[in-house]
Amino acid sequence: MNGLLITFEGIEGSGKSTQIELLRTRLESLNLPTTITRQPGGTRIGESIRKIVLNPKNTALDSRAEVLLYAADRAQHTAEIVQRELEADRICLCDRFADSTTAYQGAGRAIDDADIHWLHRFALQGCMPDLTLLLDLPEKDGLARAAKAGEPDRIEREALEFHARVRQGFLGIAEQEPERVKVIDALPSAETVAQSIWSHVSPVVERVR
Ligand code: TMP
């Protein structure tokens, strides 16, 4: 199998969407078939789950219900989209994946590590990213950028301390899995960030070409 799963992670306002589009353009210019997808969402069922978890009116959502909704989205998305793309030897670029649950629900909401690990095992059935690009920046800068993009969703409305825990959660994953997770400084210009991303993507792509 020559497919690749490359995931983008980071706090709010880290510029993932811009960078995913830039990477797709670059990969397609090399004739590498590429698909962009996202979590939560990417499937019809997942988009319904996305509406529930991001709706600012859902302030009553319990943390355990929240983590299960994200896991349900991931199980559906992996079975319906990711597996299919990898089997078709495509490069699948996913805007958020399991690390977001570890960071937001694990570090952010203090859900037990063991529970998070079990949920990943159950939802992913062994489907792990080949490479993860963690776009890192201070939470204050990220939230300021996100605020420019419009009305904040349920998660963006969380306190600065929550986003600080999420950022540290992501950095903790990168420390534990340096081979898979590459930390990218997200503060410079989009062009500079794209170059830095490419320096990590190109060797991985070379392996399957
Ligand atoms: P985004 O895709 O526009 O960044 O929005 C998704 C939001 O959901 C974002 O605030 C991060 C959050 N999220 C979690 O809390 N847990 C998860 O597992 C995932 C995938 C996203």
Side-chain angles (χ1 to χ4, degrees):
M1 195 159 83
N2 288 322
L4 275 181
L5 174 59
I6 301 179
T7 60
F8 282 71
E9 299 280 8
I11 58 166
E12 317 300 322
S14 55
K16 291 178 285 96
S17 317
T18 310
Q19 291 302 328
I20 286 186
E21 282 298 342
L22 290 172
L23 181 58
R24 186 214 330 237
T25 306
R26 186 147 195 179
L27 290 168
E28 288 192 335
S29 74
L30 298 171
N31 288 324
L32 294 165
T34 305
T35 301
I36 292 183
T37 185
R38 67 172 178 180
Q39 288 183 1
T43 64
R44 194 177 59 78
I45 293 165
E47 291 298 332
S48 301
I49 296 175
R50 184 179 176 92
K51 287 201 182 97
I52 300 173
V53 290
L54 296 188
N55 188 343
K57 289 192 184 135
N58 287 338
T59 49
L61 186 60
D62 174 79
S63 297
R64 281 172 303 164
E66 179 186 74
V67 76
L68 290 171
L69 284 167
Y70 280 113
D73 164 74
R74 184 158 308 113
Q76 183 66 33
H77 184 256
T78 304
E80 194 180 323
I81 309 274
V82 180
Q83 303 278 18
R84 184 195 66 201
E85 296 304 298
L86 298 182
E87 277 161 24
D89 291 345
R90 295 179 67 86
I91 299 180
C92 187
L93 304 181
C94 192
D95 190 340
R96 300 195 180 281
F97 202 68
D99 298 324
S100 276
T101 294
T102 308
Y104 280 83
Q105 282 66 50
R109 304 266 193 237
I111 300 267
D112 220 54
D113 274 359
D115 292 331
I116 300 268
H117 282 137
W118 184 86
L119 281 170
H120 287 340
R121 223 181 49 230
F122 187 66
L124 297 177
Q125 300 289 305
C127 180
M128 281 301 286
D130 296 285
L131 175 69
T132 296
L133 301 154
L134 171 57
L135 303 192
D136 179 61
L137 79 175
E139 55 281 355
K140 253 198 197 140
D141 299 280
L143 287 175
R145 280 191 193 174
K148 288 194 195 134
E151 273 299 290
D153 62 34
R154 191 180 60 89
I155 307 269
E156 285 165 351
R157 281 166 201 244
E158 289 292 339
L160 192 63
E161 298 74 54
F162 172 84
H163 295 285
R165 288 198 297 280
V166 173
R167 181 187 184 203
Q168 292 312 317
F170 276 128
L171 291 172
I173 303 169
E175 225 173 85
Q176 278 175 20
E177 293 181 70
E179 277 301 304
R180 172 177 69 87
V181 184
K182 306 299 178 193
V183 183
I184 312 280
D185 178 3
L187 277 177
S189 70
E191 206 172 89
T192 307
V193 174
Q195 282 303 340
S196 158
I197 287 178
W198 186 246
S199 72
H200 294 295
V201 172
S202 59
V204 176
V205 166
E206 280 305 316
R207 280 211 312 259
V208 298
R209 278 178 85 187

